[in-house]
Amino acid sequence: MLSEANGSIAGAGALLNILRDGQARTRAELVQLTGLARSTLAQRLDALLSQQWIIPTEEAISSGGRPAIAFTFNRTARVVLSADLGATHARVAVTDLGTTVLAERAAEVSIDRGPEETLGWLQRTFEEMLAETGHRPDEICGIGVGLPGPVEHSTGRPVNPPIMPGWDGFPVPEWLGSRLGAPVLVDNDVNIMALGEHWAARPEADHLIFVKIGTGIGCGIISDRRLHRGAQGAAGDIGHIRVASALDTVCRCGNIGCLEAVASGAAMAARLSADGVEAEDSRDVVRLVRGGNTHAVQLIRQAGREVGDVLASIVNFFNPSVIVVGGDISEAGEQVLAGLREVIYSRSLPLATQHLTITASELGDRAGVIGAAVMVIEHVLAPGSVDRSVSVPTV
Ligand SMILES: [Zn+2]
């Protein structure tokens, strides 16, 4: 249960992780679980209590006599600010340390206004929402931001983002962190959606793929319960895998034959409007499908098959137990899932699909803000970070 990987064995951070399961534990239980001496345990608990990471509760089920004191993780010790910034719309939230949403807002904000204007809006929105929830700036433990483009996670800087003029290399964490006085973590939108969906809806899945089908196509990969970003943070960029049906189509990346060029919401909208059906973006495509437009229904089913074709290879390679489909186009529900399932189950190896679940996102358009909060919480509550926050000397 305990490991040396992060923080000291049974240090304050490791103790806090034991208490995060929501179950109140007494001193006796903690001594038994950790093997710590009572005096050392007392020192660790005092450190956690002084930072309000835990709170004492009275455990009534004592074996006769007076009730024993137990301790639980204090989810309200700090607040997290999280934002999912898309190409044209944004969702912003304030959560506690258990991802309970305390305040939430959605707004139409275009990312192509550039970093300073967009982040300035975000800063003002965060400050207003913090005030709404009655919290002070010193209660912010961290800020999580999702962006609609490639991000170098270690520095939080966007790298050649195709739809974000002015953002290339912009120091998002420094800009926002210096104004709000808290650490800032940044990642691309589909990675945080994968984190959110895994945490909230599929915590039991060890290996999960979250596919976002919206204006573009991408996926977030949970491998062994951790987000897999790859060497440069480019893992999961399936939108630019070459597919046979797109060989005469130029993609926005400049290549020919990309999956995104035939199966994304933008590609379907373009195809529909070329055929005289009014459609500008993914949302219009979903609206037409819901309204029973047969052309749109055929297109979305075919898009499901195209994405399924690429995923069938990925299933053979990666062997996930769950594929979650999110993004605007997933709102069309079974129409897109049907084509996807059809191809994956017929093309992937039986052993890989035996226990494979393919499902629509449960969190929907909230997956991003929940995931951005999870990214911050996992960082702040990592045993090593907690040890540093309480400055307990390691033994
Ligand atoms: Zn491409």
Side-chain angles (χ1 to χ4, degrees):
M1 183 162 191
L2 303 172
S3 94
E4 279 183 283
N6 284 303
S8 62
I9 293 178
L15 263 189
L16 185 63
N17 264 10
I18 292 173
L19 292 166
R20 274 178 72 194
D21 65 5
Q23 196 185 330
R25 314 256 189 183
T26 62
R27 286 176 198 272
E29 286 167 342
L30 290 169
V31 163
Q32 200 177 13
L33 269 169
T34 60
L36 286 174
R38 274 196 164 254
S39 56
T40 314
L41 178 75
Q43 192 191 12
R44 304 273 192 270
L45 289 173
D46 283 348
L48 291 173
L49 284 164
S50 74
Q51 291 294 311
Q52 295 180 316
W53 287 123
I54 58 172
I55 39 175
T57 56
E58 276 202 354
E59 190 79 336
I61 39 107
S62 174
S63 53
R66 61 200 177 84
I69 299 291
F71 301 91
T72 54
F73 171 53
N74 181 14
R75 293 159 62 118
T76 62
R78 311 278 193 280
V79 292
V80 179
L81 306 182
S82 73
D84 179 13
L85 303 179
T88 55
H89 36 276
R91 188 170 285 263
V92 185
V94 179
T95 79
D96 70 8
L97 295 173
T99 71
T100 301
V101 174
L102 308 173
E104 188 175 17
R105 278 192 201 174
E108 298 300 311
V109 182
S110 290
I111 203 87
D112 64 9
R113 293 194 306 182
E116 299 205 350
E117 203 176 319
T118 309
L119 295 175
W121 170 83
L122 185 59
Q123 179 199 345
R124 289 191 300 280
T125 306
F126 275 146
E127 285 167 347
E128 287 167 18
M129 292 170 71
L130 199 64
E132 263 171 41
T133 61
H135 287 283
R136 301 183 312 269
D138 65 352
E139 291 173 282
I140 307 169
C141 71
I143 301 160
V145 180
L147 294 175
V151 173
E152 187 182 57
H153 183 65
S154 59
T155 61
R157 296 179 182 216
V159 184
N160 297 319
I163 58 164
M164 299 167 61
W167 287 80
D168 185 25
F170 190 83
V172 178
E174 291 82 356
W175 198 97
L176 211 50
S178 63
R179 286 161 176 80
L180 290 164
V184 180
L185 298 176
V186 189
D187 208 335
N188 76 59
D189 54 357
V190 69
N191 277 353
I192 61 167
M193 291 167 100
L195 272 181
E197 193 76 22
H198 183 250
W199 164 288
R202 298 277 169 183
E204 77 293 346
D206 290 341
H207 309 287
L208 173 148
I209 286 185
F210 184 99
V211 186
K212 181 190 178 192
I213 313 176
T215 306
I217 297 175
C219 77
I221 304 160
I222 303 287
S223 175
D224 233 348
R225 294 174 176 264
R226 297 168 66 92
L227 191 62
H228 173 82
R229 295 188 171 92
Q232 313 297 331
D237 205 350
I238 62 167
H240 305 282
I241 287 179
R242 183 174 279 217
V243 294
S245 60
L247 290 180
D248 57 353
T249 313
V250 180
C251 177
R252 62 177 175 171
C253 75
N255 285 336
I256 289 169
C258 296
L259 172 67
E260 199 171 286
V262 287
S264 65
M268 284 186 271
R271 185 81 65 88
L272 284 166
S273 54
D275 293 342
V277 183
E278 210 171 299
E280 273 186 23
D281 55 22
S282 316
R283 292 175 179 180
D284 290 337
V285 176
V286 172
R287 181 179 49 76
L288 287 163
V289 169
R290 285 187 172 156
N293 181 296
T294 49
H295 190 15
V297 169
Q298 279 167 355
L299 269 182
I300 211 163
R301 284 214 160 210
Q302 185 54 31
R305 287 187 205 104
E306 302 282 0
V307 177
D309 204 28
V310 167
L311 286 176
S313 305
I314 288 168
V315 165
N316 285 349
F317 176 77
F318 178 65
N319 190 197
S321 56
V322 182
I323 293 177
V324 180
V325 183
D328 285 346
I329 291 296
S330 73
E331 309 266 316
E334 284 304 314
Q335 297 289 7
V336 66
L337 286 177
L340 214 133
R341 287 197 182 105
E342 179 190 313
V343 177
I344 292 176
Y345 286 123
S346 65
R347 291 261 331 275
S348 299
L349 293 169
L351 185 61
T353 54
Q354 206 172 15
H355 301 291
L356 174 66
T357 303
I358 302 171
T359 179
S361 164
E362 270 184 37
L363 295 183
D365 50 16
R366 239 186 180 187
V369 282
I370 298 297
V374 170
M375 172 169 69
V376 170
I377 292 165
E378 291 298 306
H379 175 76
V380 171
L381 297 184
S385 311
V386 174
D387 285 352
R388 282 189 292 281
S389 85
V390 299
S391 307
V392 169
T394 54
V395 281

Short mmCIF file of all heavy atoms in Angstrom, two decimals, residues 11-17 19 42-55 386-387 389-390 392:
data_model
loop_
_atom_site.label_atom_id
_atom_site.label_comp_id
_atom_site.label_asym_id
_atom_site.label_seq_id
_atom_site.Cartn_x
_atom_site.Cartn_y
_atom_site.Cartn_z
N GLY A 11 5.20 8.92 5.59
CA GLY A 11 5.34 10.32 5.94
C GLY A 11 3.96 10.95 6.00
O GLY A 11 2.95 10.27 5.79
N ALA A 12 3.90 12.26 6.26
CA ALA A 12 2.60 12.92 6.38
C ALA A 12 1.79 12.76 5.09
O ALA A 12 0.58 12.51 5.13
CB ALA A 12 2.82 14.39 6.69
N GLY A 13 2.47 12.87 3.94
CA GLY A 13 1.77 12.76 2.65
C GLY A 13 1.19 11.37 2.44
O GLY A 13 0.07 11.23 1.94
N ALA A 14 1.95 10.34 2.80
CA ALA A 14 1.45 8.97 2.65
C ALA A 14 0.27 8.74 3.59
O ALA A 14 -0.71 8.08 3.23
CB ALA A 14 2.57 7.98 2.93
N LEU A 15 0.35 9.30 4.79
CA LEU A 15 -0.77 9.18 5.74
C LEU A 15 -2.03 9.84 5.17
O LEU A 15 -3.13 9.28 5.25
CB LEU A 15 -0.43 9.92 7.03
CG LEU A 15 0.12 9.15 8.22
CD1 LEU A 15 0.16 10.08 9.42
CD2 LEU A 15 -0.74 7.93 8.53
N LEU A 16 -1.84 11.02 4.58
CA LEU A 16 -2.98 11.74 4.02
C LEU A 16 -3.63 10.90 2.91
O LEU A 16 -4.85 10.85 2.80
CB LEU A 16 -2.55 13.10 3.48
CG LEU A 16 -3.69 13.98 2.98
CD1 LEU A 16 -4.64 14.33 4.12
CD2 LEU A 16 -3.17 15.27 2.36
N ASN A 17 -2.80 10.24 2.11
CA ASN A 17 -3.35 9.41 1.04
C ASN A 17 -4.19 8.26 1.58
O ASN A 17 -5.17 7.87 0.98
CB ASN A 17 -2.23 8.90 0.13
CG ASN A 17 -2.10 9.79 -1.09
OD1 ASN A 17 -2.69 10.86 -1.15
ND2 ASN A 17 -1.34 9.35 -2.07
N LEU A 19 -5.92 8.47 4.28
CA LEU A 19 -7.17 9.07 4.79
C LEU A 19 -8.07 9.62 3.68
O LEU A 19 -9.22 9.95 3.91
CB LEU A 19 -6.84 10.18 5.79
CG LEU A 19 -6.21 9.67 7.09
CD1 LEU A 19 -5.59 10.81 7.88
CD2 LEU A 19 -7.26 8.95 7.95
N ALA A 42 1.84 10.58 15.90
CA ALA A 42 1.27 11.79 16.51
C ALA A 42 1.88 13.03 15.87
O ALA A 42 1.18 14.01 15.56
CB ALA A 42 1.52 11.78 18.01
N GLN A 43 3.19 12.97 15.62
CA GLN A 43 3.89 14.10 15.01
C GLN A 43 3.35 14.37 13.59
O GLN A 43 3.07 15.50 13.21
CB GLN A 43 5.36 13.73 14.95
CG GLN A 43 6.28 14.86 14.61
CD GLN A 43 7.69 14.34 14.32
OE1 GLN A 43 7.91 13.13 14.17
NE2 GLN A 43 8.64 15.24 14.24
N ARG A 44 3.16 13.28 12.81
CA ARG A 44 2.63 13.41 11.45
C ARG A 44 1.20 13.97 11.45
O ARG A 44 0.86 14.83 10.66
CB ARG A 44 2.59 12.04 10.75
CG ARG A 44 3.91 11.30 10.70
CD ARG A 44 4.70 11.72 9.47
NE ARG A 44 5.82 10.83 9.27
CZ ARG A 44 7.03 11.01 9.78
NH1 ARG A 44 7.28 12.06 10.54
NH2 ARG A 44 7.99 10.14 9.53
N LEU A 45 0.38 13.44 12.36
CA LEU A 45 -1.02 13.90 12.43
C LEU A 45 -1.08 15.37 12.82
O LEU A 45 -1.87 16.13 12.25
CB LEU A 45 -1.81 13.04 13.41
CG LEU A 45 -2.10 11.59 12.96
CD1 LEU A 45 -2.74 10.79 14.09
CD2 LEU A 45 -3.02 11.57 11.73
N ASP A 46 -0.25 15.78 13.76
CA ASP A 46 -0.23 17.19 14.18
C ASP A 46 0.12 18.09 13.00
O ASP A 46 -0.47 19.15 12.82
CB ASP A 46 0.79 17.40 15.30
CG ASP A 46 0.26 16.89 16.64
OD1 ASP A 46 -0.96 16.60 16.71
OD2 ASP A 46 1.06 16.76 17.58
N ALA A 47 1.09 17.63 12.20
CA ALA A 47 1.50 18.42 11.04
C ALA A 47 0.33 18.56 10.05
O ALA A 47 0.06 19.65 9.54
CB ALA A 47 2.69 17.76 10.35
N LEU A 48 -0.38 17.46 9.81
CA LEU A 48 -1.53 17.51 8.89
C LEU A 48 -2.67 18.35 9.45
O LEU A 48 -3.34 19.09 8.73
CB LEU A 48 -2.02 16.09 8.58
CG LEU A 48 -1.08 15.21 7.74
CD1 LEU A 48 -1.60 13.78 7.66
CD2 LEU A 48 -0.90 15.77 6.33
N LEU A 49 -2.87 18.26 10.78
CA LEU A 49 -3.93 19.05 11.43
C LEU A 49 -3.61 20.54 11.35
O LEU A 49 -4.49 21.36 11.09
CB LEU A 49 -4.08 18.63 12.90
CG LEU A 49 -4.81 17.31 13.15
CD1 LEU A 49 -4.56 16.82 14.57
CD2 LEU A 49 -6.32 17.46 12.90
N SER A 50 -2.33 20.89 11.52
CA SER A 50 -1.96 22.31 11.54
C SER A 50 -2.20 22.94 10.16
O SER A 50 -2.49 24.13 10.06
CB SER A 50 -0.51 22.48 11.96
OG SER A 50 0.34 22.09 10.90
N GLN A 51 -2.10 22.15 9.10
CA GLN A 51 -2.37 22.67 7.75
C GLN A 51 -3.82 22.43 7.33
O GLN A 51 -4.19 22.66 6.18
CB GLN A 51 -1.45 21.97 6.74
CG GLN A 51 0.01 22.35 6.88
CD GLN A 51 0.26 23.81 6.55
OE1 GLN A 51 -0.19 24.32 5.54
NE2 GLN A 51 0.96 24.51 7.43
N GLN A 52 -4.62 21.92 8.26
CA GLN A 52 -6.05 21.61 8.02
C GLN A 52 -6.28 20.59 6.91
O GLN A 52 -7.36 20.52 6.35
CB GLN A 52 -6.83 22.89 7.70
CG GLN A 52 -6.86 23.84 8.88
CD GLN A 52 -7.64 25.08 8.56
OE1 GLN A 52 -7.50 25.68 7.49
NE2 GLN A 52 -8.48 25.49 9.50
N TRP A 53 -5.25 19.79 6.58
CA TRP A 53 -5.45 18.75 5.57
C TRP A 53 -6.39 17.67 6.10
O TRP A 53 -7.05 16.98 5.33
CB TRP A 53 -4.12 18.08 5.20
CG TRP A 53 -3.18 18.88 4.37
CD1 TRP A 53 -1.90 19.21 4.70
CD2 TRP A 53 -3.40 19.44 3.06
NE1 TRP A 53 -1.31 19.94 3.69
CE2 TRP A 53 -2.20 20.10 2.68
CE3 TRP A 53 -4.48 19.46 2.18
CZ2 TRP A 53 -2.07 20.74 1.45
CZ3 TRP A 53 -4.35 20.11 0.97
CH2 TRP A 53 -3.16 20.75 0.61
N ILE A 54 -6.42 17.51 7.43
CA ILE A 54 -7.34 16.52 8.03
C ILE A 54 -8.12 17.18 9.16
O ILE A 54 -7.72 18.22 9.67
CB ILE A 54 -6.58 15.28 8.58
CG1 ILE A 54 -5.55 15.70 9.64
CG2 ILE A 54 -5.90 14.51 7.46
CD1 ILE A 54 -4.91 14.53 10.37
N ILE A 55 -9.25 16.56 9.51
CA ILE A 55 -10.02 17.05 10.65
C ILE A 55 -10.36 15.88 11.59
O ILE A 55 -10.58 14.76 11.13
CB ILE A 55 -11.33 17.76 10.23
CG1 ILE A 55 -11.98 17.03 9.04
CG2 ILE A 55 -11.10 19.22 9.90
CD1 ILE A 55 -13.33 17.60 8.64
N VAL A 386 2.76 17.00 -0.22
CA VAL A 386 2.19 17.20 1.12
C VAL A 386 3.31 17.25 2.15
O VAL A 386 3.32 18.11 3.03
CB VAL A 386 1.17 16.09 1.46
CG1 VAL A 386 0.68 16.23 2.90
CG2 VAL A 386 -0.01 16.14 0.50
N ASP A 387 4.29 16.34 2.02
CA ASP A 387 5.43 16.34 2.95
C ASP A 387 6.10 17.71 2.96
O ASP A 387 6.41 18.25 4.02
CB ASP A 387 6.47 15.29 2.54
CG ASP A 387 6.01 13.87 2.88
OD1 ASP A 387 4.97 13.74 3.56
OD2 ASP A 387 6.68 12.91 2.46
N SER A 389 4.72 20.55 2.12
CA SER A 389 3.81 21.59 2.64
C SER A 389 3.79 21.60 4.16
O SER A 389 3.54 22.62 4.77
CB SER A 389 2.40 21.42 2.08
OG SER A 389 1.65 20.48 2.85
N VAL A 390 4.04 20.46 4.79
CA VAL A 390 4.02 20.43 6.27
C VAL A 390 5.44 20.40 6.84
O VAL A 390 5.62 20.45 8.05
CB VAL A 390 3.20 19.23 6.81
CG1 VAL A 390 1.76 19.31 6.35
CG2 VAL A 390 3.83 17.90 6.41
N VAL A 392 7.74 18.15 7.35
CA VAL A 392 8.09 17.14 8.35
C VAL A 392 9.42 16.52 7.93
O VAL A 392 9.55 16.08 6.81
CB VAL A 392 7.01 16.05 8.45
CG1 VAL A 392 7.49 14.88 9.27
CG2 VAL A 392 5.75 16.64 9.03
#
